[in-house]
Amino acid sequence: MNKALFSDESRRFAGATIYIILAPDNRYKFDTGKSVPLTVCVTHQRLRRYFPTGAKVSSMKEYEALFSKSNAAIETRKELRKVFDQICAKTDELILLNRFSVADLKSHVEKSEGKVTEKTMRADDTFSSHRKKR
């Protein structure tokens, strides 16, 4: 799972680097039969935090399909990009305030964004969305 759907440029400040990517959560494996959540992963000073997007894929084939040029894939990427951009914007804001840490980012994202709407993807119906209120 080395391939990231979105990968922003790293941010450097005070001798530290932050990496932000959108990819399957590497804490989960596809071979367990369960869906793997797509997350925005922020890494800073060996600390890693996963921010849920609400989207899940049940196989590597479904994940690879997100890179296709189909209309469904493009629409799904647009929705995922919104979450990704929110995390990047909040990261930049905290860096400018000189208050960045992975824990601060987590608390600010939870306060400002609320909970993400859940979207699931099934193997037999790739890219279909089912909205649930959490």
Side-chain angles (χ1 to χ4, degrees), residues 31-129:
D31 57 1
T32 61
K34 295 182 180 179
S35 294
V36 174
L38 291 174
T39 59
V40 177
C41 178
V42 178
T43 305
H44 176 248
Q45 294 180 341
R46 297 185 184 188
L47 294 174
R48 185 172 290 157
R49 175 67 66 180
Y50 297 91
F51 295 92
T53 62
K56 296 180 180 183
V57 289
S58 59
S59 69
M60 195 61 173
K61 184 177 178 181
E62 279 187 12
Y63 178 68
E64 293 292 331
L66 289 173
F67 293 91
S68 74
K69 294 182 180 180
S70 71
N71 288 338
I74 291 169
E75 288 302 313
T76 301
R77 284 195 308 266
K78 282 182 185 177
E79 290 299 314
L80 294 171
R81 185 70 194 200
K82 289 177 188 175
V83 176
F84 182 79
D85 288 342
Q86 289 171 350
I87 301 295
C88 290
K90 189 54 72 175
T91 300
D92 287 339
E93 181 182 323
L94 289 171
I95 289 171
L96 288 173
L97 294 172
N98 200 23
R99 292 182 45 211
F100 182 83
S101 74
V102 175
D104 280 346
L105 179 61
K106 179 183 183 279
S107 67
H108 284 309
V109 167
E110 287 174 351
K111 285 180 196 173
S112 64
E113 306 304 328
K115 293 187 176 180
V116 179
T117 303
E118 183 177 333
K119 289 184 175 186
T120 59
M121 296 181 200
R122 300 178 306 201
D124 59 338
D125 192 12
T126 304
F127 305 124
S128 67
S129 299

